[in-house]
Structure formats: structure tokens, C-alpha cells
């Protein structure tokens, strides 16, 4: 696996500074909130508008404080880079310079001059702990700062009255507005409850919770269970769930008409308590047009922080495939005979066309070949490509009338606890990760697994011989399986490299290990996560790999670097699964916060946020053309997403338990899903995607009416006796392999 020159590894610090700040799609943005929400009614209007105006100066104060801090620690080079990046003049760090710096505008320049440098420094050191929270749950943001928003006192006895009044109003509005306005119930309920608890009104908080918790949507039941345990102010300190609610604004998408109704009602009632919460903790994404129906809202809601903002899915995504390298397909012996007999190479041309037709034209939606540096093809890779092309000519075309055969690998007597499975691309080997911290590799062909000979024996080999690759293998070590020891906790993620020379494993011990499949030893232990790493996956082009875990941050690595190249930060809970896009330019992550995010490998930005699942996401799969993404979760639903438009385009219902694996067939005609309900289900992916009317996608509101056609798309359900399906894999000829541990 050759090292890649330049590119990602040598990325300039300035770009990293940008990507880190932009990575979190759900950060608090006071300027945005000022735009999304008009000024508050009654007496709170002035405070609402002044808060919006104070946004830029506050940001600049923080920036100046960071520069002061860096200068104090003699990091002059970093000071210069950051100052240039922010566009500040050279004298901005002097006492007077703060006044004249232009970015804050006239309104805030006076304030900036008056800010004391030491107070700024103290602010930065306070916020430093906030930045480090991304790295681990125990280094939480300064809880007192986070909770201070709840210190505003309202009459605790009136909280029930306020909430009941709003509830009564929303229940009496026209049906078309009721579904949209009902979205405010859950976030308001949470923040009003937390406000009561924070201000030591325990009995009122308990009564409030008991009275209204039953009215919330069923998909918030797990969050409410956590919330019910927070009954005292002391419980709130260092609580992850609370910090998620507080630090990320809950996003609601509401039509302008419905919003005006709500605003008018709160103005008439002078209901400042509720309005303050809406201003402080909610981001209302207002759109023009018809209000959405209950089913449309339900399809998109359910995540920890509400829906995604519409701007979050507007970035252009290059979802096309990279151009395949031109490789001449040599003739088989059979082909040569045919040529000799007839004098025409009949078979060669169709074969080359069938594989080469896609790669001759550059896909207009594809990224440029050198957008990210990829490893060059070695001779062995080219041979493998040729083998792949030959296999592809014998591939079975699947469809509703031609379903794949399924071969199920049951792990019997897996007392060690099977936690992860992966097959090599050519289906010659299978690896399993186990709860006893071992990784086991099996050969699925008559060819046994062998180690390379020792260095002394290798010196005796004739390196010029044709069968040198066979001679270097030690026949004495041949066996059907190998056990790899090294982890100190259960192995949760496993992935073969595309060239089958390496194997990745991620573990509860916080490390990712790279194993050689030539020597069956550990080559590297990658340490960056502080907590369990739930999943890891190699890029389709090798060299790069991605990992995600309990620390909520996904990391991009290269095999020859012991530190991550990119850190993708923005999820509000554990990252449970990771997948590379087929063109290796993007990474998808699924999380316990019930969202899926798509990250750009080049700059670390989050370019898509998909919401709609009602439980933690455990399975992701890209279609082979790169256009679509399928996701499966504990809610038993498979959701289909159009990556280019950033919209949900389908929902497949049928499973009764967590979906652990999803896989598209080699030509993406069929989607297979494997679940803890002991079944494999096959879905008609061609029909699901061909029925889409792409004109609808361009609508400004982004409303999609999902057809309830799961039964039409379901092609077959295949039950195992008592084996949960934890991995699926289509061979190069479209035979479906499934794997799981028998559960007697």
C-alpha cells in the first residue's frame, strides 16, 4: 500500500481552521437566529434584537482573545496565520487596534475597545474546555455557563398554565397548521422542565413532567426516560443529554403562515416565558408555501436536535464515480482458441465494452481525479482488476423475476460473542471480531491461509522464478483459520483492505489495529479515540480508512500516519457506523443521535444531514453508482436518500427489529437488508429509485410525499432458524452471502 504524496496529509493549517469551525452543522448561530425569528413580542422585543446585534462583536472578542492567548504563549507563527485568515489588521492586537478593526462594524467597535485583555483571556480559557469536549465525555463544556440560560426566573406555578394555554391554542387552530405547530411541544416541554429543575422547583417540575410527558411523540420515549431522572439541580451537572439539548438549538421547519399564527398568539397573551425559550433554544426554519402534513413531518422528525436546516443540504456533492483506469483485458485460452478457429476475436470486444463503457465518459457529477490524492495502482491491483472484469462478464443480472441465491454462514458455538463480520471483495476470506478481544480469519476456498517465510528462508529463494509469490509462503503454517491477538476489549468493527493484504479492527479499548494478512501480525495500533470505537472501514481505493465511536467524533486516517488526517465533529451522540462513498471523496456516519451525516474528505465539512430515523442508526450502504444511500436503524425501517438533492426518497418497512446490515447488489438492482429479527429481506431498488419524479426535488420547501409501497418493493423474506443477520455481502457474480452467530 504505497504512500500518497502531498494532498490531504500536507494540508495547510488555515484550511483546517476553517473546516473545524464549519464541521458542526448544529452550532449556535445567533446571527441566523436573528434572521429566522422576528423580534419577540411585548417587553422582550428589545432584548431579542439587541442579542442579534451583539453577535459579531462577541465573535471578534473571542478571536482577539485567542490571538492574545497565542501571543502570550509565544506562538507567533500561529498568530500570523489566524490573523491573516480572519482578515484582521496587523495592529489589531494592540490596545487601540481593537477599536479600529473593521469586521465588527460601527455598532460593536466601542465595546471591543473597552474589553479588558485579561477578561478576554479568561473567557478563552473557559471556552477551551468547551472545545475539548469533542474529544471525550468527561471533559464537558463549562456546565455553569451552559446552564446559566435557565437562571431566568418565572413564576413556577405558571409554567403549567403557559404550556396548557399554548396546547389549547394549537389544538384549536385549523388542521393544516396544527401538525406544524405541534412540533414546538417537545422542545418547549424539555426546556421548561429543565428550567424548573435548575431553579430548584422540584415539586413543580415533577408535576409538570407527569402532566405533559404523555403528550409527547412516541419516538422521544427514550429521551424522556433520561430526562425523568434529572430531578435535582445537581443531576444536571455533567449530564451529556442535557448538554446536547442546551448547546444545540432544536431545529423546527415551519411554514410562514403557521409561524405568524404562533407569534400573534404569544403577542396577544404577552407570553414572554415561552417566547424567551423559543428565542434562546429553538431555531425556526421558516419556508414560504403550503404547511406540511402530519405524515410529512413525522417522516423527517425524530432526531435528538430536530430536523436539519435546509441550508445544511444545499452544498454541491460530487457523487459520481471516478473514471476507471484503462486496463486491456487479456484473452482467455478459450478465447484464443475461438480466435484461431474463426480469425475474429469475438469475445474480447464485448467484454471490454461491457466494463469500459462507463469509464470512457467522465461523469459530470464526479469529482476530479486528483481532488484527493489516491494511491497508484500496483501491478497486483491491475491483475485483480482484470480478474474482476472477467468475473463481471459472468455476473447474473438480478431483478424481481431473478432473485439471488443466498449462502448463509452461521457461526456455531460462538461463545466468545460474535460482534463484527466482514468478507473480502473476492469472497475468498471472512473475518470475525469477538467479544473476547480476538479477531479470527477463515479461508472460504480450498486454498489455506499461510504465513510468509522467515527472513532467513526468504534469502534462499530464487527471486527471478515465475512462482516466487508461491515460494515465499510457508506451507508448514497452512491452516483454515488464524486467530489475531492484541486488543484488550471486545472488537466491534472489522474491515478488509481492497487488495486483501490488510485487515482493520476497532475495539472497546479505544484503538484501531492494522493487521497484515501475509504474516498475521499487528502492524500498527492507531490511538486517537479515548473511548470505544464502534466501527471502522477501509476506503474502496485502500490507503485511507475511517473510524467512529463513543466520543462522537469520526476520524479519517491513512495507513502510514499514526495520527488522523481529519476529524469530523458534529454528532450529538455515539457514532455507530461509518461508510465510504464509492468515489472515496465522502464519508457517511450514522449515530445514536438518530441522524446520518455526509462529510467531505477534502476539507472536513459536513455537506449533508439526514433526519427521519426514530432510533440509533446501525447500517449504511451506498448504491454502486454513488447516487443513493440506504440506512437502517433500531426502528426496523430502511430509509433511502438521494445524495445530490439531500432528500429522503423512500421508506421500506417490514423488519421487526434492529437492522444491522444493508448491501446493494453489484449493479444496484436489489437492496438486501439483514436484521436482528433473524431475516434477510430483498427489496426492488430499481423500482424504488426509478419511480422518483426528480422535478419535485427542486421545490423550495423540499417536501416529499413518500409512497407507502413497502409491500410492492419487497421481493422476498428469508428466515434463518435462530441466527440474527449481522453482515451481508454480494459476490462479484451477485451471489448473496450472509453471516451471523447462531443463537440457540
Amino acid at each position: 500500500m504505497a504512500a500518497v504524496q502531498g494532498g490531504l496529509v500536507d494540508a495547510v493549517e488555515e484550511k483546517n481552521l476553517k473546516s473545524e469551525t464549519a464541521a458542526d452543522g448544529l452550532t449556535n448561530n445567533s446571527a441566523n437566529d436573528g434572521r429566522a425569528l422576528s423580534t419577540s413580542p411585548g417587553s422582550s422585543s428589545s432584548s431579542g434584537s439587541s442579542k442579534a446585534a451583539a453577535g459579531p462583536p462577541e465573535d471578534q472578542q473571542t478571536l482577539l482573545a485567542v490571538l492574545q492567548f497565542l501571543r502570550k504563549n509565544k506562538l507567533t507563527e500561529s498568530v500570523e496565520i489566524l490573523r491573516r485568515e480572519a482578515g484582521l489588521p496587523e495592529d489589531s492586537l494592540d490596545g487601540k487596534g481593537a477599536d479600529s478593526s473593521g469586521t465588527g462594524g460601527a455598532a460593536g467597535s466601542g465595546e471591543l475597545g473597552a474589553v479588558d485583555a485579561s477578561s478576554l483571556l479568561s473567557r478563552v480559557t473557559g471556552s477551551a474546555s468547551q472545545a475539548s469536549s469533542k474529544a471525550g465525555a468527561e471533559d464537558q463544556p463549562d456546565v455553569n455557563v451552559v446552564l446559566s440560560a435557565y437562571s431566568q426566573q418565572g413564576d413556577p406555578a405558571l409554567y403549567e398554565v403557559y404550556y396548557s394555554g399554548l396546547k389549547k391554542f394549537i389544538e384549536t387552530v385549523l388542521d393544516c397548521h396544527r401538525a406544524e405547530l405541534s412540533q414546538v411541544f417537545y422542545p418547549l416541554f424539555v426546556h421548561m422542565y429543565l428550567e424548573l429543575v435548575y431553579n430548584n422547583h422540584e415539586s413543580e417540575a415533577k408535576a409538570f413532567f407527569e402532566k405533559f410527558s404523555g403528550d409527547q411523540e412516541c419516538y422521544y420515549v427514550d429521551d424522556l426516560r433520561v430526562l425523568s431522572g434529572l430531578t435535582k439541580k445537581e443531576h444536571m451537572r455533567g449530564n451529556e443529554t442535557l448538554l446536547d439539548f442546551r448547546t444545540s438549538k432544536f431545529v423546527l421547519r415551519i411554514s410562514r403562515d403557521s409561524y405568524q399564527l404562533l407569534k400573534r398568539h404569544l403577542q396577544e397573551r404577552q407570553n414572554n416565558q415561552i417566547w424567551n425559550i423559543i428565542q434562546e433554544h429553538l431555531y425556526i426554519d421558516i419556508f414560504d408555501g403550503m404547511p406540511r402534513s402530519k405524515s410529512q413531518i413525522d417522516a423527517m422528525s425524530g432526531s435528538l436536535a430536530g430536523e436539519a436546516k435546509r441550508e445544511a443540504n444545499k452544498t454541491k456533492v460530487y457523487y459520481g464515480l471516478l473514471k476507471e483506469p484503462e486496463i486491456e483485458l487479456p484473452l482467455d485460452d478459450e478465447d484464443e482458441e475461438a480466435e484461431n478457429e474463426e480469425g475474429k476475436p469475438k469475445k474480447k470486444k464485448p467484454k471490454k465494452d461491457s466494463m469500459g463503457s462507463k469509464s470512457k465518459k467522465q461523469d459530470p457529477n464526479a469529482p476530479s481525479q486528483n481532488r484527493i490524492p489516491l494511491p497508484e495502482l500496483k501491478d497486483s491491483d491491475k491483475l485483480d482488476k482484470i480478474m474482476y472484469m472477467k468475473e463481471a462478464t459472468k455476473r447474473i443480472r438480478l431483478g424481481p423475476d431473478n432473485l439471488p441465491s443466498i449462502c448463509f454462514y452461521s457461526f456455531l458455538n460462538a461463545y466468545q460473542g460474535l460482534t463484527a463480520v466482514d468478507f473480502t471483495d473476492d469472497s475468498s476470506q471472512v473475518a470475525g471480531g469477538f467479544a473476547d478481544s480476538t479477531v479470527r480469519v477463515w479461508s472460504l476456498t480450498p486454498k489455506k491461509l499461510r504465513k510468509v517465510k522467515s527472513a532467513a528462508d526468504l534469502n534462499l529463494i530464487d527471486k527471478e522464478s515465475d512462482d516466487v509469490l508461491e515460494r515465499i509462503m510457508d506451507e508448514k503454517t497452512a491452516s483454515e483459520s488464524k486467530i489475531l491477538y492484541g486488543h484488550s476489549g471486545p472488537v466491534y468493527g472489522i474491515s478488509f483492505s481492497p487488495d486483501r493484504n490488510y485487515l482493520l479492527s476497532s475495539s472497546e479499548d479505544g484503538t484501531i489495529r492494522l493487521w497484515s494478512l501475509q504474516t498475521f501480525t499487528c502492524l500498527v495500533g492507531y490511538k486517537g479515540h479515548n473511548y470505544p470505537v464502534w466501527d471502522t472501514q477501509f476506503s474502496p481505493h485502500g490507503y485511507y480508512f475511517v473510524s467512529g465511536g463513543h466520543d462522537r467524533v469520526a476520524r479519517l486516517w491513512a495507513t502510514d500516519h499514526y495520527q488522523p488526517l481529519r476529524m469530523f465533529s458534529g454528532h450529538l451522540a455515539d457514532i455507530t457506523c461509518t461508510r465510504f462513498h464509492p468515489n472515496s471523496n465522502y464519508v457517511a456516519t450514522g449515530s445514536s443521535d438518530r441522524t446520518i451525516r455526509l462529510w467531505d474528505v477534502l476539507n472536513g465539512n459536513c455537506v449533508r444531514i439526514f433526519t427521519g430515523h426514530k432510533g440509533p442508526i446501525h447500517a449504511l450502504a451506498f448504491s454502486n453508482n454513488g447516487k443513493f444511500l440506504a440506512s437502517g436503524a433500531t426502528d426496523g425501517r430502511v430509509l433511502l436518500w438521494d445524495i445530490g438533492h439531500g432528500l429522503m426518497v423512500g421508506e421500506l418497512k417490514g423488519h421487526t427489529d434492529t437492522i444491522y446490515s444493508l448491501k446493494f447488489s453489484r449493479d444496484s438492482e436489489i437492496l438486501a437488508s439483514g436484521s436482528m429479527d433473524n431475516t434477510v429481506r430483498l427489496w426492488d431498488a430499481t423500482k424504488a429509485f426509478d419511480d422518483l419524479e426528480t422535478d419535485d426535488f427542486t421545490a423550495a420547501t423540499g417536501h416529499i410525499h413518500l409512497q407507502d409501497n413497502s409491500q410492492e418493493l419487497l421481493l422476498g423474506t428469508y428466515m434463518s432458524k435462530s441466527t440474527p443477520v449481522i453482515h451481508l455481502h454480494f459476490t462479484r457474480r451477485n451471489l448473496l452471502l450472509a453471516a451471523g452467530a447462531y443463537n440457540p
Side-chain angles (χ1 to χ4, degrees):
M1 210 170 272
V4 178
Q5 298 300 318
L8 286 177
V9 183
D10 305 319
V12 190
E13 285 109 315
E14 296 166 54
K15 190 173 274 188
N16 281 346
L17 280 169
K18 271 187 196 166
S19 65
E20 281 170 32
T21 52
D24 189 347
L26 292 173
T27 46
N28 286 344
N29 189 333
S30 52
N32 276 353
D33 303 331
R35 273 202 306 277
L37 293 165
S38 324
T39 55
S40 54
S43 59
S44 59
S45 62
S46 58
S47 65
S49 56
S50 67
K51 184 175 288 185
E58 282 184 9
D59 290 347
Q60 193 170 357
Q61 286 179 20
T62 310
L63 191 62
L64 288 171
V66 171
L67 289 166
Q68 295 267 26
F69 181 75
L70 292 172
R71 179 183 272 187
K72 187 180 173 186
N73 287 280
K74 298 187 173 56
L75 299 168
T76 48
E77 198 175 330
S78 301
V79 170
E80 278 305 298
I81 290 172
L82 183 55
R83 188 187 57 71
R84 280 202 307 273
E85 184 76 21
L88 294 174
E90 288 188 34
D91 59 351
S92 57
L93 284 175
D94 305 336
K96 293 170 187 170
D99 275 332
S100 59
S101 61
T103 52
S109 58
E111 288 173 44
L112 285 176
V115 173
D116 182 73
S118 60
S119 69
L120 283 175
L121 279 175
S122 67
R123 239 183 90 180
V124 169
T125 47
S127 62
S129 66
Q130 203 158 349
S132 68
S133 73
K134 302 277 187 191
E138 62 195 26
D139 309 320
Q140 288 298 341
D142 188 344
V143 182
N144 292 329
V145 174
V146 170
L147 298 180
S148 61
Y150 293 129
S151 59
Q152 53 199 31
Q153 280 277 19
D155 183 351
L158 291 177
Y159 276 54
E160 282 190 31
V161 178
Y162 290 147
Y163 192 86
S164 298
L166 183 66
K167 189 163 176 272
K168 203 170 289 179
F169 162 71
I170 289 175
E171 284 168 356
T172 56
V173 297
L174 291 172
D175 289 356
C176 61
H177 299 296
R178 189 185 306 146
E180 282 201 323
L181 293 179
S182 296
Q183 295 178 84
V184 303
F185 284 148
Y186 175 68
L188 274 179
F189 168 78
V190 171
H191 289 296
M192 290 174 89
Y193 173 74
L194 291 174
E195 216 164 271
L196 286 169
V197 172
Y198 183 78
N199 292 310
N200 294 316
H201 304 303
E202 290 176 28
S203 56
E204 287 89 345
K206 189 179 178 187
F208 183 80
F209 190 90
E210 285 172 358
K211 186 169 182 181
F212 299 114
S213 60
D215 299 341
Q216 309 308 322
E217 295 287 357
C218 56
Y219 37 80
Y220 292 122
V221 66
D222 289 340
D223 297 339
L224 292 172
R225 194 178 300 122
V226 173
L227 204 61
S228 65
L230 299 170
T231 56
K232 288 182 164 52
K233 188 173 177 178
E234 294 72 40
H235 298 166
M236 296 171 75
R237 299 182 187 283
N239 183 288
E240 289 181 26
T241 310
L242 162 64
L243 290 166
D244 291 338
F245 279 128
R246 172 63 191 92
T247 54
S248 59
K249 298 208 169 193
F250 197 94
V251 181
L252 304 175
R253 205 178 288 176
I254 292 181
S255 66
R256 192 170 298 282
D257 293 346
S258 301
Y259 175 70
Q260 293 297 345
L261 267 177
L262 176 66
K263 186 179 166 191
R264 202 176 308 124
H265 167 74
L266 294 174
Q267 278 177 332
E268 286 168 5
R269 295 295 174 94
Q270 289 286 308
N271 201 335
N272 294 338
Q273 198 70 37
I274 284 181
W275 184 260
N276 288 340
I277 290 176
I278 289 175
Q279 285 272 5
E280 191 76 32
H281 302 293
L282 273 58
Y283 178 98
I284 297 187
D285 194 353
I286 300 168
F287 63 86
D288 294 304
M290 288 287 292
R292 293 185 298 168
S293 66
K294 178 87 169 86
S295 61
Q296 285 174 324
I297 292 166
D298 280 349
M300 303 304 294
S301 55
S303 92
L304 209 55
E307 294 187 45
K309 298 175 189 173
R310 276 175 302 160
E311 309 93 78
N313 293 338
K314 287 286 186 351
T315 316
K316 180 166 174 57
V317 171
Y318 299 100
Y319 57 79
L321 302 184
L322 295 173
K323 199 172 173 210
E324 290 285 341
E326 291 291 331
I327 297 174
E328 286 292 325
L329 182 58
L331 293 168
D332 288 346
D333 294 340
E334 297 168 26
D335 299 348
E336 281 169 15
E337 283 168 26
E339 187 181 358
N340 292 340
E341 284 172 25
E342 301 171 31
K344 293 177 187 174
K346 281 189 177 177
K347 290 192 181 176
K348 181 182 176 185
K349 221 169 186 180
K351 277 188 184 181
K352 188 158 187 277
D353 283 354
S354 68
M355 288 308 293
S357 58
K358 289 178 188 172
S359 57
K360 279 176 187 170
K361 290 180 187 171
Q362 178 70 34
D363 187 334
N365 293 305
S368 58
Q369 291 289 114
N370 56 358
R371 187 171 184 264
I372 62 167
L374 293 168
E376 288 181 18
L377 285 182
K378 303 193 290 288
D379 289 342
S380 58
D381 297 329
K382 288 177 182 171
L383 284 172
D384 198 52
K385 284 266 182 212
I386 291 168
M387 280 301 299
Y388 178 80
M389 288 156 78
K390 284 182 181 176
E391 291 273 315
T393 59
K394 299 169 185 173
R395 182 182 297 160
I396 296 167
R397 296 286 297 177
L398 300 178
D401 304 320
N402 193 18
L403 298 179
S405 299
I406 305 177
C407 174
F408 202 111
Y409 288 91
S410 291
F411 288 74
L412 298 174
N413 307 319
Y415 305 120
Q416 306 86 355
L418 181 70
T419 44
V421 177
D422 194 28
F423 291 93
T424 52
D425 185 64
D426 68 350
S427 313
S428 62
Q429 294 173 24
V430 62
F434 291 87
D436 68 351
S437 77
T438 60
V439 176
R440 294 160 194 253
V441 185
W442 286 267
S443 172
L444 299 178
T445 63
K447 200 173 173 184
K448 294 191 171 178
L449 302 175
R450 299 166 298 173
K451 292 183 183 178
V452 172
K453 288 178 179 174
S454 66
D457 292 339
L458 288 174
N459 284 332
L460 306 174
I461 291 174
D462 176 13
K463 295 174 182 63
E464 302 301 317
S465 63
D466 293 339
D467 61 345
V468 65
L469 291 176
E470 276 296 313
R471 293 190 181 195
I472 62 172
M473 307 312 286
D474 188 352
E475 285 299 330
K476 295 175 197 161
T477 62
S479 64
E480 287 181 2
S481 69
K482 300 282 184 195
I483 303 180
L484 309 176
Y485 297 100
H487 283 296
S488 58
V491 176
Y492 291 116
I494 210 158
S495 178
F496 281 104
S497 65
D499 62 6
R500 302 182 301 288
N501 287 330
Y502 304 98
L503 176 68
L504 280 172
S505 60
S506 65
S507 166
E508 190 245 7
D509 62 17
T511 65
I512 303 122
R513 286 179 179 264
L514 182 72
W515 307 86
S516 165
L517 297 178
Q518 307 292 337
T519 60
F520 294 98
T521 55
C522 180
L523 302 177
V524 196
Y526 300 96
K527 296 176 182 177
H529 293 273
N530 297 328
Y531 296 95
V533 186
W534 301 128
D535 198 20
T536 186
Q537 204 218 5
F538 255 116
S539 149
H541 294 86
Y543 185 65
Y544 300 114
F545 63 94
V546 64
S547 63
H550 179 60
D551 61 8
R552 315 166 180 207
V553 179
R555 288 168 168 79
L556 177 80
W557 311 76
T559 47
D560 58 359
H561 283 71
Y562 64 89
Q563 289 192 322
L565 309 180
R566 290 282 179 276
M567 292 172 70
F568 306 120
S569 169
H571 278 295
L572 303 176
D574 299 33
I575 292 173
T576 43
C577 52
T578 55
R579 277 294 169 274
F580 260 98
H581 188 277
N583 66 22
S584 294
N585 278 250
Y586 298 93
V587 166
T589 54
S591 166
S592 297
D593 67 9
R594 309 188 281 280
T595 67
I596 300 144
R597 286 174 180 250
L598 190 70
W599 308 88
D600 190 337
V601 162
L602 180 68
N603 51 30
N605 291 344
C606 178
V607 291
R608 291 286 180 270
I609 303 174
F610 296 133
T611 65
H613 276 295
K614 311 298 187 263
I617 291 138
H618 284 283
L620 293 170
F622 284 99
S623 61
N624 294 301
N625 61 10
K627 278 187 181 180
F628 302 103
L629 174 68
S631 58
T634 56
D635 57 13
R637 295 150 71 236
V638 177
L639 298 183
L640 306 174
W641 310 90
D642 181 294
I643 294 167
H645 295 95
L647 294 169
M648 185 196 299
V649 293
E651 177 185 24
L652 306 176
K653 292 186 282 195
H655 283 291
T656 56
D657 205 339
T658 302
I659 295 165
Y660 256 100
S661 185
L662 290 167
K663 200 74 178 177
F664 283 94
S665 60
R666 291 284 173 162
D667 296 314
S668 298
E669 318 99 330
I670 293 221
L671 172 65
S673 57
S675 166
M676 298 299 281
D677 63 10
N678 303 344
T679 65
V680 174
R681 291 175 191 253
L682 301 179
W683 310 88
D684 189 342
T686 309
K687 189 173 191 301
F689 295 134
D690 284 357
D691 287 354
L692 301 176
E693 294 177 21
T694 47
D695 299 342
D696 295 349
F697 292 176
T698 54
T701 52
H703 296 178
I704 291 293
H705 183 67
L706 295 177
Q707 297 174 310
D708 191 7
N709 58 348
S710 297
Q711 289 312 306
E712 293 171 36
L713 298 175
L714 181 63
L715 300 176
T717 302
Y718 303 90
M719 298 199 67
S720 64
K721 186 179 178 186
S722 183
T723 307
V725 185
I726 64 169
H727 191 71
L728 295 168
H729 173 76
F730 277 97
T731 68
R732 291 172 176 179
R733 297 191 189 185
N734 268 339
L735 167 69
L736 178 57
L737 308 181
Y742 179 65
N743 192 7

